[in-house]
Amino acid sequence: MSSKSSKSKNGPLQHLIAGGGAGLVESSICHPLDTIKTRMQLRKNAIDTQQIRHSLMEPAHQIRHSLMEPAGRLIGGSGLRTTADPAVLVNANVHEPASIAQNVSKTASYSKVIEKPFHSPGTVKASLGPIGSAKRIIQREGFFALYKGLTAVYAGIIPKMAIRFVTFEQYKEYLAEHTSLGRSNQATFLAGLGSGLTEAILVVTPAEVCKIRMQSQYHSLVDPAQKEHRKYRNVIQTAITITREEGIAALYKGLFPTMLRQGCNQAVNFTAYNYIKKRVMELQHTSELASWQSLMIGGFSGGMGPLVNNPLDVVKTRLQKQVVHEGRAPKYTGLVQACFLIAKEEGAFALWKGITPRLLRIMPGQAITFMTYEQISSMLKKYGAT
């Protein structure tokens, strides 16, 4: 009785430590792929590329504006930079390049300032795939731009992983004790579904709104002027800015598709992982998996969900990036409307944007997560921390 009580009491702590450690390792390694995926999903394709040759959203085309300094223009390739009034720069919505161009063009007075010449990389010729997107981000904004939004991930990763593993175990135990499902695959599926829905409501949605706003900023980390005037600087400042400008409800934009995505992902993920793990251990007559086996099984199970629910992720990203201005109707109003509008304007395959970097992000991410989780759990058991 005492042993059972001790196990029940200490279980959540084990899940917190093991899950949090796994999440930190996974996000540190795989975050650049998430930034690439987000940029690919936010890119809006035009049927005629001539229509976007002057767009700040598509740097692969020649444009007159500086790709490295959205808030200003270079004059004739010289060191002279024409800048708008500082108030305009501070208030410019830096994470939406089109709005920067509008604010600057509407400013009546300009002042010429002699500055040290900043060498723009000019036209970045790269494909629109994951590798080309990475090349474009690095050349325009610097290598560490691939890590934009990482603070938002860190801020949410420990509670997210704690909630994911703790609630999964709690739901699984409840179903085993209070329903006829026992410890079947159906019970595992429902427990995974519940854990995904829970983490989406409590942690994932607000953290991803902040992360996506930070990732979608088209500013250069190698140009001090742009770095100084960027709108979103860190996760706390981003959350405060969003709440002040758009209300606290803005932190829960895309909640419904996020719940569907997380629920589907964790239901499939936990079911596949636990089923394969059980079969492998039965074949080997062992009670634990080797590290490389956890890595391989975690990667395989992690890739199954995204193949099905990528449209939910695209819609979620668009909804969370969207800034709602008072008196103006938002472009995307909900899950179904956004799906139909994206398919109408950009084609049905636009709902599968970012699937390659998403798989490249999630599969190794889940592989690392499960391997690290199993290793930390094993260590905690060995030293009596369970």
Side-chain angles (χ1 to χ4, degrees):
M1 180 73 179
S2 175
S3 176
K4 182 177 179 181
S5 174
S6 177
K7 181 179 179 181
S8 174
K9 181 178 180 181
N10 294 329
L13 178 62
Q14 174 196 343
H15 299 314
L16 171 66
I17 297 172
L24 284 170
V25 173
E26 182 268 344
S27 59
S28 298
I29 295 172
C30 300
H31 187 74
L33 290 168
D34 190 69
T35 299
I36 294 167
K37 179 222 43 160
T38 298
R39 289 292 183 88
M40 290 179 69
Q41 290 180 337
L42 292 175
R43 183 186 300 126
K44 295 177 176 61
N45 290 342
I47 297 175
D48 181 3
T49 55
Q50 293 298 319
Q51 295 175 357
I52 58 170
R53 65 180 181 273
H54 296 305
S55 169
L56 290 178
M57 294 293 289
E58 181 46 77
H61 296 279
Q62 292 183 355
I63 52 178
R64 291 184 180 179
H65 300 286
S66 167
L67 291 175
M68 300 297 291
E69 179 56 272
R73 295 182 301 174
L74 295 176
I75 306 299
S78 69
L80 287 174
R81 180 175 292 164
T82 301
T83 55
D85 184 78
V88 176
L89 293 178
V90 171
N91 295 326
N93 189 352
V94 179
H95 91 286
E96 291 190 85
S99 66
I100 297 174
Q102 278 187 337
N103 287 337
V104 174
S105 64
K106 288 180 180 178
T107 307
S109 60
Y110 293 89
S111 59
K112 291 185 178 179
V113 181
I114 304 296
E115 297 180 0
K116 182 179 178 180
F118 180 77
H119 300 290
S120 166
T123 301
V124 180
K125 295 182 179 179
S127 68
L128 299 181
I131 296 176
S133 297
K135 179 181 178 182
R136 187 177 293 109
I137 291 170
I138 293 171
Q139 290 191 12
R140 289 178 62 206
E141 306 168 50
F143 174 78
F144 288 104
L146 292 172
Y147 286 89
K148 286 180 180 179
L150 184 58
T151 56
V153 176
Y154 280 155
I157 200 71
I158 292 178
K160 182 179 82 170
M161 288 300 180
I163 289 170
R164 175 180 297 178
F165 285 100
V166 170
T167 57
F168 171 72
E169 294 296 335
Q170 294 298 315
Y171 292 148
K172 190 169 71 171
E173 289 299 319
Y174 178 86
L175 291 170
E177 295 176 6
H178 297 89
T179 71
S180 61
L181 294 173
R183 299 186 182 278
S184 63
N185 291 328
Q186 292 89 336
T188 302
F189 183 89
L190 290 175
L193 177 65
S195 70
L197 295 175
T198 305
E199 71 179 21
I201 295 171
L202 297 181
V203 179
V204 176
T205 304
E208 289 212 348
V209 169
C210 295
K211 173 181 72 74
I212 287 171
R213 292 295 180 90
M214 293 169 72
Q215 286 177 326
S216 62
Q217 292 184 116
Y218 288 79
H219 69 277
S220 172
L221 291 179
V222 297
D223 184 356
Q226 287 193 54
K227 190 174 180 180
E228 177 66 25
H229 292 105
R230 69 191 190 276
K231 183 174 183 179
Y232 302 123
R233 300 171 183 272
N234 56 64
V235 61
I236 296 176
Q237 182 266 347
T238 299
I240 293 173
T241 300
I242 293 171
T243 303
R244 183 178 65 246
E245 294 182 352
E246 305 170 53
I248 194 168
L251 291 174
Y252 281 88
K253 285 181 177 179
L255 175 61
F256 185 57
T258 303
M259 289 175 63
L260 291 178
R261 185 199 68 175
Q262 292 302 113
C264 176
N265 275 348
Q266 299 318 315
V268 173
N269 196 15
F270 277 113
T271 302
Y273 182 81
N274 281 277
Y275 177 80
I276 300 172
K277 175 183 176 181
K278 181 180 178 181
R279 292 294 175 231
V280 170
M281 289 193 301
E282 286 177 353
L283 290 172
Q284 296 180 159
H285 304 289
T286 58
S287 59
E288 290 185 353
L289 294 175
S291 296
W292 69 268
Q293 291 174 322
S294 297
L295 188 76
M296 297 297 292
I297 297 171
F300 177 77
S301 64
M304 297 178 70
L307 289 172
V308 177
N309 63 23
N310 199 72
L312 294 174
D313 194 57
V314 172
V315 171
K316 175 199 71 69
T317 301
R318 296 286 180 94
L319 287 169
Q320 291 176 333
K321 188 260 181 183
Q322 177 176 256
V323 178
V324 179
H325 300 282
E326 187 176 354
R328 291 169 55 186
K331 181 175 182 178
Y332 305 116
T333 58
L335 174 62
V336 177
Q337 181 266 354
C339 280
F340 278 105
L341 184 59
I342 292 170
K344 179 182 177 182
E345 291 184 347
E346 305 171 47
F349 286 108
L351 292 169
W352 297 92
K353 282 182 177 179
I355 184 62
T356 302
R358 191 174 176 219
L359 286 173
L360 291 174
R361 166 71 169 87
I362 291 178
M363 292 182 71
Q366 288 301 309
I368 293 168
T369 296
F370 277 110
M371 183 188 71
T372 308
Y373 178 82
E374 296 283 10
Q375 288 299 305
I376 295 177
S377 295
S378 179
M379 289 175 61
L380 291 173
K381 289 178 183 178
K382 181 179 177 181
Y383 292 102
T386 60

